[in-house]
Structures are given as C-alpha cells and as structure tokens.
Amino acid sequence: MPSLVVITEEGEHTVAIGKEPITVGRSPASTIRITDAASSRKHCMIKCSDVAVTVVDMGSANGTRVNGTRITREQVLHNGDVVQIGKTLLRFVGDSSA
C-alpha cells in the first residue's frame, strides 16, 4: 500500500494512502494537518485511483512543489518523490499505481 512520510520540524510520521482523497493544510478538517506558516488552510490533495497516485494544488497562496518544481496541474507521484509545502515535506513511498 502506498504511503506518505510526513516530515516536519517536529519530526516525522507515516500516513497510508487509501482510496479516499487525503487533504493537506492548516485546517483542522484536513486529513494531514500541518502547522507550517507557508501552508494554506486547504493546500493540496493526494488522490489514489486504479491507475496512479496524484497530487493537486488546491489554489494555495504559496504553491505546492514536487521535487522542487511548482506544480500547476495534477501531478503523478513516483516512488521517492517529495511534495513540499513550505518547510513541510511529504515523501511518497510505493508504486504510483494503486
């Protein structure tokens, strides 16, 4: 099962990626709540389909980066890819196909 290793200044933890979309941001309603000041309340979403695991920016003010490049559309994640939100990193582990 694919997962995300969430790396913050406070430490790191792993979140499994299932069929339900994962929301990331400062909002208490986010699946992965981060306190990074550069994060929007609804920053990005990680989705898993039968074909791939993808990340999409949700109109954040500071943008979402994958491997250092700001994304402008939905981006397929591959094993080892790093999603960056401010100083927070989400390292994708696993196969992008579900």
CSV table of all heavy atoms in Angstrom, one decimal, residues 35-78:
chain,number,residue,atom,x,y,z
A,35,THR,N,1.1,22.7,10.5
A,35,THR,CA,1.1,24.0,11.1
A,35,THR,C,2.1,24.9,10.4
A,35,THR,O,2.3,26.1,10.9
A,35,THR,CB,1.5,23.9,12.6
A,35,THR,OG1,2.7,23.3,12.8
A,35,THR,CG2,0.4,23.1,13.4
A,36,ASP,N,2.7,24.5,9.3
A,36,ASP,CA,3.6,25.3,8.6
A,36,ASP,C,3.0,26.6,8.2
A,36,ASP,O,1.9,26.7,7.6
A,36,ASP,CB,4.0,24.5,7.3
A,36,ASP,CG,5.3,25.1,6.7
A,36,ASP,OD1,5.3,26.3,6.4
A,36,ASP,OD2,6.2,24.3,6.4
A,37,ALA,N,3.6,27.8,8.5
A,37,ALA,CA,3.0,29.1,8.2
A,37,ALA,C,2.9,29.3,6.7
A,37,ALA,O,2.0,30.1,6.3
A,37,ALA,CB,3.9,30.2,8.8
A,38,ALA,N,3.6,28.6,5.9
A,38,ALA,CA,3.5,28.7,4.4
A,38,ALA,C,2.4,27.9,3.8
A,38,ALA,O,2.2,27.9,2.6
A,38,ALA,CB,4.8,28.4,3.8
A,39,SER,N,1.7,27.2,4.7
A,39,SER,CA,0.6,26.3,4.2
A,39,SER,C,-0.7,27.1,4.2
A,39,SER,O,-1.0,27.9,5.1
A,39,SER,CB,0.5,25.1,5.1
A,39,SER,OG,-0.7,24.4,4.8
A,40,SER,N,-1.5,26.8,3.2
A,40,SER,CA,-2.9,27.3,3.2
A,40,SER,C,-3.8,26.4,4.0
A,40,SER,O,-3.4,25.3,4.3
A,40,SER,CB,-3.4,27.4,1.8
A,40,SER,OG,-2.7,28.3,1.0
A,41,ARG,N,-5.0,26.9,4.4
A,41,ARG,CA,-5.9,26.0,5.1
A,41,ARG,C,-6.3,24.8,4.3
A,41,ARG,O,-6.3,23.7,4.9
A,41,ARG,CB,-7.2,26.8,5.5
A,41,ARG,CG,-6.9,27.9,6.6
A,41,ARG,CD,-8.2,28.6,7.0
A,41,ARG,NE,-9.2,27.8,7.5
A,41,ARG,CZ,-9.3,27.3,8.7
A,41,ARG,NH1,-8.3,27.5,9.5
A,41,ARG,NH2,-10.3,26.6,9.1
A,42,LYS,N,-6.5,24.9,3.1
A,42,LYS,CA,-6.7,23.8,2.1
A,42,LYS,C,-5.6,23.9,1.1
A,42,LYS,O,-5.8,24.5,0.1
A,42,LYS,CB,-8.1,23.9,1.5
A,42,LYS,CG,-9.2,23.8,2.5
A,42,LYS,CD,-10.6,23.9,1.8
A,42,LYS,CE,-11.7,23.7,2.8
A,42,LYS,NZ,-13.0,23.9,2.2
A,43,HIS,N,-4.5,23.3,1.3
A,43,HIS,CA,-3.3,23.4,0.5
A,43,HIS,C,-3.3,22.5,-0.7
A,43,HIS,O,-3.2,23.0,-1.9
A,43,HIS,CB,-2.1,23.3,1.3
A,43,HIS,CG,-0.9,23.9,0.7
A,43,HIS,ND1,-0.5,25.2,1.0
A,43,HIS,CD2,-0.1,23.4,-0.3
A,43,HIS,CE1,0.6,25.5,0.2
A,43,HIS,NE2,0.8,24.4,-0.6
A,44,CYS,N,-3.3,21.2,-0.5
A,44,CYS,CA,-3.3,20.3,-1.6
A,44,CYS,C,-4.0,19.0,-1.3
A,44,CYS,O,-4.5,18.8,-0.2
A,44,CYS,CB,-1.9,20.0,-2.1
A,44,CYS,SG,-0.9,19.0,-0.9
A,45,MET,N,-4.2,18.2,-2.3
A,45,MET,CA,-4.9,16.9,-2.1
A,45,MET,C,-4.1,15.8,-2.8
A,45,MET,O,-3.6,16.0,-3.9
A,45,MET,CB,-6.3,17.0,-2.8
A,45,MET,CG,-7.1,15.7,-2.6
A,45,MET,SD,-8.7,15.8,-3.4
A,45,MET,CE,-9.4,17.3,-2.6
A,46,ILE,N,-4.0,14.7,-2.2
A,46,ILE,CA,-3.4,13.5,-2.7
A,46,ILE,C,-4.6,12.5,-3.0
A,46,ILE,O,-5.4,12.2,-2.2
A,46,ILE,CB,-2.5,12.8,-1.7
A,46,ILE,CG1,-1.5,13.8,-1.0
A,46,ILE,CG2,-1.7,11.6,-2.3
A,46,ILE,CD1,-0.4,14.4,-1.9
A,47,LYS,N,-4.6,12.0,-4.3
A,47,LYS,CA,-5.7,11.1,-4.7
A,47,LYS,C,-5.1,9.8,-5.2
A,47,LYS,O,-4.0,9.8,-5.9
A,47,LYS,CB,-6.5,11.8,-5.8
A,47,LYS,CG,-7.2,13.0,-5.3
A,47,LYS,CD,-8.1,13.6,-6.4
A,47,LYS,CE,-7.4,14.1,-7.6
A,47,LYS,NZ,-8.4,14.7,-8.6
A,48,CYS,N,-5.8,8.7,-4.9
A,48,CYS,CA,-5.3,7.4,-5.4
A,48,CYS,C,-6.4,6.8,-6.3
A,48,CYS,O,-7.6,6.7,-5.9
A,48,CYS,CB,-5.1,6.5,-4.2
A,48,CYS,SG,-4.5,4.9,-4.6
A,49,SER,N,-6.1,6.5,-7.5
A,49,SER,CA,-7.1,5.9,-8.4
A,49,SER,C,-6.6,4.5,-8.8
A,49,SER,O,-5.5,4.1,-8.3
A,49,SER,CB,-7.2,6.7,-9.7
A,49,SER,OG,-6.0,6.6,-10.5
A,50,ASP,N,-7.2,3.8,-9.7
A,50,ASP,CA,-6.8,2.5,-10.1
A,50,ASP,C,-5.5,2.6,-11.0
A,50,ASP,O,-4.9,1.6,-11.2
A,50,ASP,CB,-7.9,1.8,-10.9
A,50,ASP,CG,-9.1,1.4,-10.0
A,50,ASP,OD1,-8.9,1.3,-8.8
A,50,ASP,OD2,-10.2,1.3,-10.6
A,51,VAL,N,-5.2,3.8,-11.4
A,51,VAL,CA,-4.1,4.0,-12.3
A,51,VAL,C,-2.9,4.6,-11.7
A,51,VAL,O,-1.8,4.2,-11.9
A,51,VAL,CB,-4.6,4.9,-13.5
A,51,VAL,CG1,-3.4,5.2,-14.5
A,51,VAL,CG2,-5.7,4.3,-14.2
A,52,ALA,N,-3.1,5.6,-10.8
A,52,ALA,CA,-1.9,6.3,-10.2
A,52,ALA,C,-2.3,7.0,-8.9
A,52,ALA,O,-3.5,7.2,-8.6
A,52,ALA,CB,-1.4,7.3,-11.2
A,53,VAL,N,-1.3,7.4,-8.2
A,53,VAL,CA,-1.4,8.3,-7.0
A,53,VAL,C,-1.0,9.7,-7.5
A,53,VAL,O,0.1,9.8,-8.1
A,53,VAL,CB,-0.5,7.9,-5.9
A,53,VAL,CG1,-0.6,8.9,-4.7
A,53,VAL,CG2,-1.0,6.5,-5.4
A,54,THR,N,-1.8,10.7,-7.3
A,54,THR,CA,-1.5,12.1,-7.8
A,54,THR,C,-1.7,13.1,-6.7
A,54,THR,O,-2.3,12.8,-5.7
A,54,THR,CB,-2.5,12.4,-9.0
A,54,THR,OG1,-3.8,12.4,-8.5
A,54,THR,CG2,-2.3,11.5,-10.2
A,55,VAL,N,-1.0,14.2,-6.9
A,55,VAL,CA,-1.2,15.4,-6.0
A,55,VAL,C,-1.7,16.6,-6.9
A,55,VAL,O,-1.3,16.7,-8.0
A,55,VAL,CB,0.2,15.7,-5.3
A,55,VAL,CG1,1.3,16.1,-6.3
A,55,VAL,CG2,0.0,16.9,-4.3
A,56,VAL,N,-2.6,17.4,-6.3
A,56,VAL,CA,-3.1,18.5,-7.0
A,56,VAL,C,-3.1,19.7,-6.0
A,56,VAL,O,-3.5,19.5,-4.8
A,56,VAL,CB,-4.5,18.3,-7.6
A,56,VAL,CG1,-5.5,17.9,-6.6
A,56,VAL,CG2,-4.9,19.5,-8.4
A,57,ASP,N,-2.6,20.8,-6.4
A,57,ASP,CA,-2.7,22.0,-5.5
A,57,ASP,C,-4.1,22.5,-5.5
A,57,ASP,O,-4.8,22.5,-6.5
A,57,ASP,CB,-1.8,23.1,-6.1
A,57,ASP,CG,-1.7,24.3,-5.2
A,57,ASP,OD1,-0.9,24.3,-4.3
A,57,ASP,OD2,-2.4,25.3,-5.4
A,58,MET,N,-4.6,23.0,-4.4
A,58,MET,CA,-6.0,23.4,-4.2
A,58,MET,C,-6.1,25.0,-4.2
A,58,MET,O,-6.9,25.5,-3.4
A,58,MET,CB,-6.6,22.8,-2.9
A,58,MET,CG,-6.7,21.3,-3.0
A,58,MET,SD,-7.2,20.5,-1.5
A,58,MET,CE,-8.9,21.1,-1.3
A,59,GLY,N,-5.3,25.6,-5.0
A,59,GLY,CA,-5.3,27.1,-5.1
A,59,GLY,C,-4.6,27.8,-3.9
A,59,GLY,O,-4.9,28.9,-3.6
A,60,SER,N,-3.6,27.1,-3.4
A,60,SER,CA,-2.8,27.7,-2.3
A,60,SER,C,-2.1,28.9,-2.7
A,60,SER,O,-1.7,29.1,-3.8
A,60,SER,CB,-1.8,26.6,-1.8
A,60,SER,OG,-0.8,26.4,-2.7
A,61,ALA,N,-1.9,29.8,-1.7
A,61,ALA,CA,-1.2,31.1,-1.9
A,61,ALA,C,0.3,30.9,-2.3
A,61,ALA,O,0.8,31.5,-3.1
A,61,ALA,CB,-1.3,32.0,-0.7
A,62,ASN,N,1.0,29.9,-1.6
A,62,ASN,CA,2.4,29.7,-1.8
A,62,ASN,C,2.8,28.6,-2.7
A,62,ASN,O,4.0,28.3,-3.0
A,62,ASN,CB,3.1,29.5,-0.4
A,62,ASN,CG,3.0,30.8,0.4
A,62,ASN,OD1,3.2,31.9,-0.1
A,62,ASN,ND2,2.7,30.7,1.7
A,63,GLY,N,1.8,27.8,-3.2
A,63,GLY,CA,2.1,26.8,-4.1
A,63,GLY,C,2.5,25.5,-3.5
A,63,GLY,O,2.9,25.4,-2.3
A,64,THR,N,2.5,24.4,-4.3
A,64,THR,CA,2.9,23.1,-3.9
A,64,THR,C,4.0,22.7,-4.9
A,64,THR,O,3.9,22.9,-6.1
A,64,THR,CB,1.7,22.1,-4.1
A,64,THR,OG1,0.7,22.5,-3.2
A,64,THR,CG2,2.2,20.7,-3.7
A,65,ARG,N,5.1,22.1,-4.4
A,65,ARG,CA,6.2,21.7,-5.2
A,65,ARG,C,6.4,20.2,-5.2
A,65,ARG,O,6.2,19.6,-4.1
A,65,ARG,CB,7.5,22.4,-4.7
A,65,ARG,CG,7.5,23.9,-4.9
A,65,ARG,CD,8.8,24.6,-4.4
A,65,ARG,NE,8.7,26.0,-4.6
A,65,ARG,CZ,8.9,26.6,-5.7
A,65,ARG,NH1,9.3,26.0,-6.8
A,65,ARG,NH2,8.8,28.0,-5.8
A,66,VAL,N,6.8,19.6,-6.3
A,66,VAL,CA,7.1,18.2,-6.4
A,66,VAL,C,8.5,18.2,-6.9
A,66,VAL,O,8.8,18.7,-7.9
A,66,VAL,CB,6.2,17.4,-7.3
A,66,VAL,CG1,6.7,16.0,-7.4
A,66,VAL,CG2,4.7,17.4,-6.7
A,67,ASN,N,9.4,17.6,-6.0
A,67,ASN,CA,10.9,17.5,-6.4
A,67,ASN,C,11.4,18.9,-6.7
A,67,ASN,O,12.2,19.0,-7.6
A,67,ASN,CB,11.1,16.5,-7.5
A,67,ASN,CG,10.7,15.1,-7.1
A,67,ASN,OD1,10.8,14.8,-5.9
A,67,ASN,ND2,10.2,14.4,-8.0
A,68,GLY,N,10.9,19.9,-6.0
A,68,GLY,CA,11.5,21.3,-6.2
A,68,GLY,C,10.8,22.1,-7.3
A,68,GLY,O,11.1,23.3,-7.4
A,69,THR,N,9.9,21.5,-8.1
A,69,THR,CA,9.2,22.3,-9.1
A,69,THR,C,7.8,22.5,-8.8
A,69,THR,O,7.0,21.6,-8.4
A,69,THR,CB,9.3,21.5,-10.5
A,69,THR,OG1,10.6,21.2,-10.8
A,69,THR,CG2,8.6,22.2,-11.6
A,70,ARG,N,7.4,23.8,-8.8
A,70,ARG,CA,6.0,24.2,-8.5
A,70,ARG,C,5.0,23.5,-9.5
A,70,ARG,O,5.3,23.6,-10.7
A,70,ARG,CB,5.8,25.7,-8.5
A,70,ARG,CG,4.5,26.1,-8.0
A,70,ARG,CD,4.4,27.6,-7.8
A,70,ARG,NE,3.1,28.0,-7.3
A,70,ARG,CZ,2.9,29.2,-6.7
A,70,ARG,NH1,3.9,30.0,-6.5
A,70,ARG,NH2,1.7,29.4,-6.3
A,71,ILE,N,4.0,22.9,-9.0
A,71,ILE,CA,3.1,22.2,-9.9
A,71,ILE,C,1.9,23.2,-10.3
A,71,ILE,O,1.5,24.0,-9.5
A,71,ILE,CB,2.5,20.9,-9.3
A,71,ILE,CG1,1.8,21.1,-8.0
A,71,ILE,CG2,3.6,19.9,-9.2
A,71,ILE,CD1,1.0,19.9,-7.5
A,72,THR,N,1.4,23.0,-11.5
A,72,THR,CA,0.3,23.9,-12.0
A,72,THR,C,-0.9,23.0,-12.4
A,72,THR,O,-1.9,23.6,-12.7
A,72,THR,CB,0.8,24.7,-13.2
A,72,THR,OG1,1.3,23.9,-14.2
A,72,THR,CG2,1.9,25.7,-12.8
A,73,ARG,N,-0.7,21.7,-12.4
A,73,ARG,CA,-1.8,20.8,-12.7
A,73,ARG,C,-1.6,19.5,-11.9
A,73,ARG,O,-0.6,19.4,-11.2
A,73,ARG,CB,-1.8,20.5,-14.2
A,73,ARG,CG,-0.5,19.9,-14.7
A,73,ARG,CD,-0.6,19.7,-16.2
A,73,ARG,NE,0.7,19.5,-16.8
A,73,ARG,CZ,1.3,18.3,-16.7
A,73,ARG,NH1,0.8,17.3,-16.1
A,73,ARG,NH2,2.5,18.2,-17.3
A,74,GLU,N,-2.5,18.6,-12.0
A,74,GLU,CA,-2.4,17.3,-11.2
A,74,GLU,C,-1.1,16.6,-11.7
A,74,GLU,O,-0.8,16.5,-12.9
A,74,GLU,CB,-3.6,16.5,-11.5
A,74,GLU,CG,-3.8,15.4,-10.6
A,74,GLU,CD,-5.2,14.8,-10.7
A,74,GLU,OE1,-6.0,15.3,-11.4
A,74,GLU,OE2,-5.4,13.8,-10.0
A,75,GLN,N,-0.4,16.1,-10.7
A,75,GLN,CA,0.9,15.5,-10.9
A,75,GLN,C,1.0,14.1,-10.4
A,75,GLN,O,0.6,13.8,-9.3
A,75,GLN,CB,2.0,16.3,-10.2
A,75,GLN,CG,3.4,15.8,-10.2
A,75,GLN,CD,4.2,16.2,-11.5
A,75,GLN,OE1,3.9,17.3,-12.0
A,75,GLN,NE2,5.0,15.4,-12.0
A,76,VAL,N,1.4,13.1,-11.3
A,76,VAL,CA,1.5,11.7,-10.8
A,76,VAL,C,2.7,11.6,-9.9
A,76,VAL,O,3.8,12.2,-10.2
A,76,VAL,CB,1.7,10.8,-12.0
A,76,VAL,CG1,2.0,9.4,-11.6
A,76,VAL,CG2,0.4,10.8,-12.9
A,77,LEU,N,2.6,10.9,-8.8
A,77,LEU,CA,3.7,10.7,-7.9
A,77,LEU,C,4.4,9.4,-8.2
A,77,LEU,O,3.7,8.4,-8.4
A,77,LEU,CB,3.2,10.7,-6.5
A,77,LEU,CG,2.7,12.1,-6.0
A,77,LEU,CD1,2.2,12.0,-4.6
A,77,LEU,CD2,3.8,13.2,-6.1
A,78,HIS,N,5.7,9.3,-8.1
A,78,HIS,CA,6.5,8.1,-8.3
A,78,HIS,C,7.3,7.9,-7.0
A,78,HIS,O,7.6,8.8,-6.2
A,78,HIS,CB,7.5,8.3,-9.5
A,78,HIS,CG,6.7,8.6,-10.7
A,78,HIS,ND1,6.1,7.6,-11.5
A,78,HIS,CD2,6.5,9.7,-11.4
A,78,HIS,CE1,5.5,8.1,-12.5
A,78,HIS,NE2,5.8,9.4,-12.5
